[in-house]
Amino acid sequence: MTLRPRRLALVAVAAALAVTLPVPPAGATGPNAARTASADASRTASTHASRTGPSGVPRTGFETSHGARWTTQDQERDFLAAVDRASDRVRTERIGTTVRGRPLRLVRIGAPAPKSVPEVRRGNSVLLICSQHGDEPSGREACLSTVRDLAFAEDPATRRFLERTSVLVVPTANPDGRAAGTRGNADGVDVNRDHLALKTAEGRAMAAVIRDHRPDVIYDLHEYGATTPYYMKDVLALWPRNLNTAGPVHHESAVLSEDYVRATARRAGFSTGVYGIWTDPVTGDPMKQVAGDGQERILRNTAGVKNSLGVLVETRVDALTDAEKADPALNNRRRVGSQLAGLKGLFSFAERHRARVEIATTAARLAGFADRGPVYLGGADNEPPAAEKVLKNPPCAYRLDAAQLAQVGDELRLHGVTWRQDGAGAVVPLRQSMRALVPLLLDGRAQSPLTAAAPVEHCRAPGAGR
């Protein structure tokens, strides 16, 4: 039987929000006003969640404890199973297993829930990757409650949104790290540095999801520790800086980051900034870059190289007020509230920019078949690449010998890279959707290649390139 609550907080479509995150009172300015609004927003969300509990709607462990404790993995399992049973908008499946035997789950949401990959591919889709770093739990809590809110919201705007948009969620992208409270996985590997090599079970599972579903937007939720007074905003965001990101995809990613995620968070009373950039505390001018480059192995950059919009969101961990210092639950609720504000901006963007995003991602996927233009092995959109890092006339293909194919064939498949058999080895053409990715994986001059394959300068066999 489908549960029908009177009303749930929806952080999906701006026009359909049941709970409005407050802004600072009229006349209030400065950081104290933002801190007050942030705390009020998290308290509002927590209070609403407690009111909906008696109706039988599933609640997370975080919500039932009013932010005192993060949702355990057993609670996550039970919560997702309850939502799945009660709503025809949600389908949960296992997409992998960690080295400690914990499940990696994917939640598909729609109206109704997509039953297959082709159903997702037919329309616009958004993928949320939550808690890649196990010691950054607030994004995971926002993802879990958003799954529930989208599953049960009754307003027409949300239903229309979900009829045209598939929302995909990996609620816990690093379950072993979450269980241990560590940044890395059980082997100590930073999963957000494994989106090229795919050596971890977590990275491989996410690569398969991206390959199969081809999401239009990949939204990556993180947390960070502030550096006073230069790097201390409530919400930071960043688009793909990798130069192999197609122009329209890069542009729409920046619009999502700056005009929707950050702008929505500001309207909710949170301070915002660009991830990785220290700013002058008086003028607000950028001082230096400490993170956020164009490395293709980081998810937001991998997303761009793979022709999806990519956005990284980092929210501040530190307690901001004496009240938050005295009550960790209050700090936790504010952290989750800031993540929910960013998600509100994401869903508003996905609704309003639907056509532009589909045009941008489709064009980017088709452009690789033209096999034209340079490929960049370094640099970023704010850092000109060294001359030796630009393949102005890249080879038309790379040849793998038998040993190399055995070594990297599985990773190429997970990335969605195609090749043709060549004796015991293979020839990997650039003329394919993942054109820009191929040299990053196979050219010995790249930053993190899987192997140093032999460049092929003249391609004559059908399907092998130009």
Side-chain angles (χ1 to χ4, degrees):
M1 179 179 67
T2 301
L3 300 176
R4 294 182 61 82
R6 291 189 298 273
R7 190 73 170 168
L8 281 175
L10 174 64
V11 190
V13 185
L17 276 177
V19 173
T20 302
L21 298 176
V23 296
T29 59
N32 289 336
R35 303 299 181 268
T36 300
S38 302
D40 288 346
S42 59
R43 282 196 295 270
T44 299
S46 178
T47 300
H48 183 86
S50 67
R51 288 203 304 267
T52 62
S55 70
V57 175
R59 297 171 64 208
T60 67
F62 179 82
E63 290 171 327
T64 59
S65 71
H66 300 283
R69 293 177 297 279
W70 304 110
T71 301
T72 68
Q73 293 184 31
D74 286 346
Q75 289 172 333
E76 175 189 309
R77 177 200 62 210
D78 295 343
F79 172 83
L80 292 176
V83 174
D84 196 322
R85 286 193 304 270
S87 173
D88 64 358
R89 297 182 193 173
V90 172
R91 296 177 70 91
T92 303
E93 63 181 282
R94 188 168 183 155
I95 56 172
T97 305
T98 70
V99 297
R100 292 285 187 265
R102 293 187 172 92
L104 292 154
R105 298 184 180 92
L106 173 69
V107 183
R108 295 182 191 154
I109 310 168
K115 296 179 181 178
S116 64
V117 168
E119 287 188 19
V120 174
R121 285 187 174 186
R122 278 199 293 268
N124 195 280
S125 58
V126 173
L127 171 62
L128 310 183
I129 301 293
C130 321
S131 199
Q132 282 200 81
H133 294 148
D135 57 353
E136 300 170 8
S138 72
R140 171 177 177 257
E141 299 296 343
C143 287
L144 288 171
S145 61
T146 295
V147 168
R148 187 266 323 286
D149 293 347
L150 291 174
F152 296 116
E154 295 181 323
D155 58 280
T158 301
R159 178 169 289 278
R160 286 195 301 270
F161 174 76
L162 292 176
E163 285 172 351
R164 300 190 296 172
T165 306
S166 296
V167 179
L168 312 172
V169 184
V170 178
T172 308
N174 179 7
D176 291 345
R178 176 80 287 274
T182 58
R183 178 181 176 89
N185 69 358
D187 294 324
V189 177
D190 185 333
V191 176
N192 200 29
R193 301 298 184 273
D194 188 45
H195 292 289
L196 210 67
L198 303 183
K199 298 303 182 185
T200 65
E202 298 86 355
R204 295 170 76 85
M206 284 182 274
V209 168
I210 294 168
R211 176 199 63 195
D212 295 343
H213 294 82
R214 292 199 304 231
D216 293 286
V217 182
I218 300 175
Y219 187 94
D220 188 20
L221 295 83
H222 288 262
E223 294 187 274
Y224 84 105
T227 301
T228 305
Y230 308 110
Y231 197 50
M232 48 186 291
K233 304 296 186 182
D234 300 323
V235 179
L236 303 173
L238 188 62
W239 54 90
R241 288 198 181 276
N242 190 281
L243 293 172
N244 295 297
T245 304
V249 170
H250 178 273
H251 172 74
E252 291 297 328
S253 297
V255 169
L256 167 57
S257 173
E258 300 302 280
D259 296 347
Y260 283 83
V261 173
R262 286 184 58 193
T264 303
R266 283 196 301 273
R267 286 193 293 271
F270 297 95
S271 60
T272 73
V274 176
Y275 174 71
I277 304 296
W278 281 17
T279 57
D280 186 292
V282 177
T283 66
D285 295 331
M287 295 175 57
K288 68 175 181 177
Q289 183 170 343
V290 295
D293 59 12
Q295 292 180 62
E296 58 266 19
R297 61 183 183 155
I298 298 171
L299 182 59
R300 72 181 154 77
N301 286 318
T302 304
V305 174
K306 290 186 174 183
N307 309 312
S308 297
L309 276 65
V311 170
L312 166 77
V313 174
E314 300 261 359
T315 60
R316 183 175 176 177
V317 172
D318 315 73
L320 305 183
T321 64
D322 289 341
E324 287 189 1
K325 293 174 184 176
D327 182 2
L330 182 60
N331 179 38
N332 293 343
R333 294 199 299 270
R334 191 263 312 160
R335 289 159 62 182
V336 175
S338 64
Q339 294 280 8
L340 290 170
L343 285 169
K344 176 182 173 182
L346 164 67
F347 288 115
S348 178
F349 170 88
E351 178 68 11
R352 297 178 184 179
H353 285 243
R354 178 185 314 280
R356 291 168 57 174
V357 168
E358 290 186 358
I359 290 170
T361 55
T362 300
R365 289 162 185 152
L366 293 175
F369 293 98
D371 193 13
R372 299 192 188 98
V375 175
Y376 300 93
L377 304 181
D381 65 3
N382 63 342
E383 179 188 358
E388 65 272 15
K389 291 296 183 180
V390 181
L391 302 181
K392 293 183 178 180
N393 296 293
C396 60
Y398 290 86
R399 178 173 284 108
L400 299 169
D401 61 29
Q404 289 174 317
L405 181 59
Q407 175 192 352
V408 305
D410 284 346
E411 286 71 32
L412 295 179
R413 292 185 188 93
L414 286 165
H415 282 301
V417 171
T418 62
W419 71 86
R420 67 175 178 84
Q421 204 74 30
D422 182 41
V427 172
V428 184
L430 265 67
R431 192 183 296 277
Q432 60 177 292
S433 178
M434 294 293 175
R435 176 182 185 265
L437 181 64
V438 172
L440 303 181
L441 298 174
L442 300 180
D443 197 298
R445 295 165 291 182
Q447 291 183 14
S448 306
L450 300 180
T451 188
V456 178
E457 300 298 339
H458 303 286
C459 299
R460 297 178 181 176
R466 53 174 181 259

